[in-house]
Amino acid sequence: MCPWKGQSNSILAAVSLNNSGKITLANANPLYTDFTVSCSEDIAIDRDNPKWYYYFLCGVKGIKENFGIANLAGMSCVVEGTIPPSSGLSSSSALVCCAGLVTMEANQKSLSKVALAEICAKSERYIGTEGGGMDQSISFLAERGTAKLIEFQPLRATDVKLPDGAVFVISNCCMEMNKAASAHFNIRVVECRIATKMLAQARGLDSGRMLKLVQVQTELKASLQEMLALVDEALHPEPYSREEICKALGITPKQFSTELLSTNTQQETHFKLHQRARHVYGEAARVLQFKSVCDSEPAESVQRLGDLMNQSHASCRDLYECSCPELDKLVDICLKSGSVGSRLTGAGWGGCAVSMVPDEKVESFLKAVSEAYYHPDPRRAGMEKQSLFVSKPGGGAAIFIEE
């Protein structure tokens, strides 16, 4: 099964059923240790030790709890993948989705792709990452040859036809970022959560039941441009202290810690609310602009899409602050090498850039990026083969059964 959105990269799990009463996990990569868990016991996920098999067990646990299965089917699983680890290419989510799908099949259960995506998004949070569900959704809903606009509440995917004349090239900056092993990712989630409540408060809404910025927009029936104006009006650019937030929301320090912070962000004292909210609403607007350009197919569509990608990276770098020096350097090299647009992809703080490159420039682009970014550094040079490649929209997760 291949639950990843790239054409040439995938995660595969070979599974056989057995009567051992255990689920045995092995990885084709000798650097990763094997693991065994009982089919009848509660599955424990160690958040402080995010090993590869805990991501797999997140998917198993999600299916077990969704169907209330007391004794899971025994499985022997061997996992292999070509997605660079901790690179922002959804390897962790793909592994969770892979596990959820094979566990469902092994236990003779059935769910729609949408339901599976929602379960896997929730179950990845067992490991401590407060993700939103985008990676899991595309892992199941992707279709070969078309991009997808993913929307939530309810979850749905709309085809987006990419313009002819350009392809996407992935390039790994070779700085790994395990989002479950650090607080970077969850700090941004917390800041957006607080910004949500502050914006709701500013407009007299019931902030107690709101956790996501989109909820404020929906409640106000406002456009994204109107939400950006509200951000500038209601939130100041200077970081907010805990005390200022508690006073504004009328909550106690204890409520702040228990209701707004996650386990691994308890130590945070200051929060950049204006910048994070402005990035989220601005990025949402760019997504809709991207689709609009694809739908209208203007002659200059490739360049316009590239401009939106460049704006996105600038916002990730300056407002969301989820880039890193290596990624910024790589993006700059990609733009100088012939890309019309380049941006980080995934959680950030390392990992990959995605670049839109005109068809006629692909070969020269690959050569120029190789020489400028990978060759000068022995470690990067050794990783180049799996770090620089062309990608096209591929199909989502699937089961192949050998009769």
Side-chain angles (χ1 to χ4, degrees):
M1 56 175 296
C2 311
W4 186 63
K5 49 190 172 290
Q7 186 181 52
S8 57
N9 288 65
S10 58
I11 283 181
L12 309 173
V15 181
S16 64
L17 302 182
N18 58 55
N19 297 316
S20 67
K22 297 178 180 179
I23 296 173
T24 303
L25 306 176
N27 199 303
N29 187 331
L31 297 177
Y32 296 133
T33 57
D34 299 349
F35 193 79
T36 299
V37 64
S38 169
C39 292
S40 58
E41 296 177 6
D42 288 338
I43 295 173
I45 309 295
D46 189 349
R47 291 187 172 196
D48 298 322
N49 185 30
K51 301 292 187 181
W52 76 271
Y53 44 80
Y54 285 127
Y55 286 99
F56 195 97
L57 290 176
C58 282
V60 176
K61 184 179 177 73
I63 295 298
K64 176 182 172 71
E65 295 189 351
N66 179 76
F67 287 104
I69 303 172
N71 290 288
L72 291 164
M75 296 190 293
S76 297
C77 310
V78 179
V79 176
E80 183 175 23
T82 56
I83 305 175
S86 302
S87 59
L89 297 180
S90 309
S91 59
S92 58
S93 296
L95 191 53
V96 174
C97 292
C98 177
L101 183 57
V102 299
T103 303
M104 181 191 74
E105 181 71 18
N107 288 274
Q108 300 181 334
K109 303 297 183 181
S110 180
L111 287 168
S112 68
K113 290 182 178 181
V114 168
L116 262 173
E118 292 176 331
I119 289 170
C120 289
K122 292 176 182 176
S123 62
E124 189 169 338
R125 295 169 196 161
Y126 291 134
I127 207 162
T129 302
E130 296 195 40
M134 183 69 71
D135 292 343
Q136 298 85 357
S137 299
I138 196 61
S139 288
F140 285 111
L141 302 178
E143 294 183 75
R144 185 176 297 275
T146 181
K148 293 284 187 179
L149 172 68
I150 304 292
E151 299 174 275
F152 297 92
Q153 299 176 336
L155 173 59
R156 57 200 183 279
T158 305
D159 288 353
V160 178
K161 184 182 183 302
L162 296 170
D164 296 328
V167 297
F168 289 111
V169 179
I170 306 298
S171 51
N172 188 356
C173 78
C174 301
M175 290 292 293
E176 292 188 3
M177 169 59 186
N178 188 331
K179 60 189 179 185
S182 73
H184 296 315
F185 185 87
N186 282 357
I187 289 170
R188 298 302 183 273
V189 175
V190 164
E191 288 173 318
C192 290
R193 183 180 299 152
I194 298 170
T196 296
K197 294 184 177 297
M198 296 285 278
L199 292 174
Q201 188 98 325
R203 282 294 179 264
L205 303 177
D206 179 8
S207 63
R209 60 185 177 82
M210 293 191 179
L211 297 174
K212 298 180 180 180
L213 288 163
V214 67
Q215 292 173 306
V216 182
Q217 181 193 3
T218 301
E219 193 75 15
L220 294 175
K221 296 181 173 61
S223 69
L224 288 166
Q225 293 305 316
E226 289 171 331
M227 293 309 302
L228 286 166
L230 175 58
V231 169
D232 290 340
E233 173 192 328
L235 301 174
H236 57 66
E238 297 76 27
Y240 285 74
S241 66
R242 287 183 175 224
E243 294 75 20
E244 184 177 6
I245 295 167
C246 288
K247 183 178 180 181
L249 296 179
I251 59 176
T252 66
K254 183 178 181 180
Q255 287 176 305
F256 181 86
S257 293
T258 58
E259 296 174 10
L260 296 180
L261 299 183
S262 60
T263 302
N264 65 347
T265 58
Q266 293 293 326
Q267 76 287 353
E268 298 302 314
T269 59
H270 288 81
F271 306 86
K272 294 185 178 182
L273 309 184
H274 177 274
Q275 293 88 336
R276 309 317 185 215
R278 186 157 188 86
H279 167 75
V280 170
Y281 288 128
E283 193 77 338
R286 281 185 288 274
V287 168
L288 296 181
Q289 291 170 36
F290 196 100
K291 182 179 185 299
S292 177
V293 171
C294 290
D295 290 345
S296 59
E297 297 186 18
E300 70 281 9
S301 60
V302 170
Q303 185 59 58
R304 287 178 61 182
L305 296 180
D307 292 342
L308 289 169
M309 293 176 67
N310 293 332
Q311 294 168 26
S312 176
H313 184 76
S315 184
C316 288
R317 181 191 63 217
D318 301 334
L319 295 180
Y320 215 61
E321 295 181 278
C322 61
S323 189
C324 67
E326 293 81 4
L327 261 175
D328 293 337
K329 177 181 179 181
L330 179 55
V331 165
D332 185 56
I333 287 172
C334 288
L335 292 173
K336 291 177 179 177
S337 300
S339 166
V340 295
S342 298
R343 70 178 298 274
L344 67 82
T345 186
W349 298 284
C352 292
V354 57
S355 300
M356 178 172 272
V357 183
D359 288 340
E360 68 274 11
K361 294 184 178 180
V362 171
E363 292 303 319
S364 62
F365 174 86
L366 293 171
K367 185 174 185 294
V369 173
S370 174
E371 292 177 351
Y373 190 78
Y374 294 98
H375 285 190
D377 183 284
R379 176 175 172 271
R380 293 175 189 163
M383 299 172 66
E384 181 185 349
K385 185 176 180 181
Q386 66 266 35
S387 297
L388 182 64
F389 53 89
V390 176
S391 180
K392 296 180 181 179
I399 288 279
F400 302 94
I401 299 176
E402 184 177 290
E403 298 295 343

